[in-house]
Amino acid sequence: MAFKRIVICQIGSPGEIGVQISDLKIKFEVKKSDKESLNEALVTIYNLSDHTIGMISGKGKSMVLRAGYEDEGVKGLFFGTVKDVSTKNAAPDRETVITAYDGYKNGKERVISVSYKQGTSRKAVFQDLIQALGLPVIGADLITGSFSNGFSYIGKVTGALEKVVKAVGGLGWSIQNESYVIFKQGEPASVSGLYLSPQTGLIGSPEDISEESEEGGEVQKRYRVTSLLFPEILPRSRVEVSSKKLNGYFKVESVIFSGCNISEKFQAVAEVSPV
């Protein structure tokens, strides 16, 4: 189980194969959460040639980061758009640092101006906005009702979508792996099928990070769980944990994937809550 790490970074213009890098030292940190913000990846590649650096640089490049183990397969860890590429000499190596965001090009750059008459269904508005965003959607069937007073908006398309989602009530959204995900607050959006135990990849003991709610002083049970690197651990997914201190099903709130194909850690650190 979990032998020989593999990390593959692919960067290029949308619709093209681009440059695929796997035979150099690659270090990464990918942060994902169920918050209404964009997931972020920081990838450092060592000793790239000037030619390759030139090919991966430039605004709007797409990046796919895959990671895993030779005996278990390699899976997509991050899909997004490159924001910045910088290179520095750190003897004896040269380090190229790539910063990318999930949905960055769509969510951060596109500005719209829309107006709809009274009685327009929220789903009709939502479908127009999703088309403008340019991302696939998961959970669109949760958008119901209509705008009794109409709907108008000027600004970034993600802001307009947020207004539509919140108008329904009880819903939230996030961008995960270049998809716009709508979910019911407090419920998992998917079941990962992962069973985490010391025998299946759980590292150490889960840490209790529970804290009191700002509203009523009620303790919100939360835990930090560390495991081998499993890309299936996504925000809003459900995992099963089995350990001496913690057992049951939990909803993933956030996760940080970090590692290197040559050395150092190769793991996922997730913050979870009971379901």
Side-chain angles (χ1 to χ4, degrees), residues 41-57:
L42 193 67
V43 179
T44 302
I45 305 178
Y46 294 78
N47 300 318
L48 281 174
S49 67
D50 291 336
H51 175 69
T52 302
I53 292 173
M55 292 183 69
I56 67 174
S57 299

Side-chain angles (χ1 to χ4, degrees), residues 101-116:
Y101 290 93
D102 189 345
Y104 174 78
K105 183 176 180 180
N106 306 74
K108 288 291 186 180
E109 297 180 352
R110 192 160 298 179
V111 176
I112 59 167
S113 175
V114 295
S115 181
Y116 296 85

Side-chain angles (χ1 to χ4, degrees), residues 28-31 39-43 63 65 78 98-102:
F28 63 87
E29 182 178 80
V30 176
K31 298 179 180 179
N39 297 325
E40 178 183 5
L42 193 67
V43 179
M63 184 181 83
L65 181 68
F78 181 87
I98 303 157
T99 304
Y101 290 93
D102 189 345

Side-chain angles (χ1 to χ4, degrees), residues 16-168:
E16 298 179 358
I17 296 176
V19 178
Q20 181 169 295
I21 304 162
S22 61
D23 55 349
L24 298 175
K25 180 180 178 181
I26 304 175
K27 185 177 179 179
F28 63 87
E29 182 178 80
V30 176
K31 298 179 180 179
K32 298 185 176 186
S33 78
D34 63 358
K35 304 301 181 184
E36 294 159 355
S37 58
L38 301 178
N39 297 325
E40 178 183 5
L42 193 67
V43 179
T44 302
I45 305 178
Y46 294 78
N47 300 318
L48 281 174
S49 67
D50 291 336
H51 175 69
T52 302
I53 292 173
M55 292 183 69
I56 67 174
S57 299
K59 189 175 182 180
K61 299 281 187 177
S62 295
M63 184 181 83
V64 178
L65 181 68
R66 296 182 173 88
Y69 307 92
E70 186 177 55
D71 60 324
E72 295 186 351
V74 180
K75 299 180 180 179
L77 189 64
F78 181 87
F79 302 82
T81 303
V82 174
K83 181 185 178 183
D84 181 69
V85 178
S86 62
T87 298
K88 65 178 181 180
N89 291 317
D93 298 311
R94 179 163 70 164
E95 301 177 358
T96 299
V97 180
I98 303 157
T99 304
Y101 290 93
D102 189 345
Y104 174 78
K105 183 176 180 180
N106 306 74
K108 288 291 186 180
E109 297 180 352
R110 192 160 298 179
V111 176
I112 59 167
S113 175
V114 295
S115 181
Y116 296 85
K117 64 181 181 180
Q118 296 178 356
T120 302
S121 73
R122 293 178 183 137
K123 180 165 285 189
V125 176
F126 179 83
Q127 289 173 338
D128 286 350
L129 295 174
I130 274 293
Q131 186 173 0
L133 183 66
L135 293 180
V137 60
I138 299 172
D141 58 321
L142 296 175
I143 304 297
T144 59
S146 60
F147 290 104
S148 58
N149 296 319
F151 178 86
S152 60
Y153 184 87
I154 299 175
K156 292 177 180 177
V157 65
T158 48
L161 283 163
E162 181 176 353
K163 288 189 67 174
V164 175
V165 171
K166 290 192 172 181
V168 178

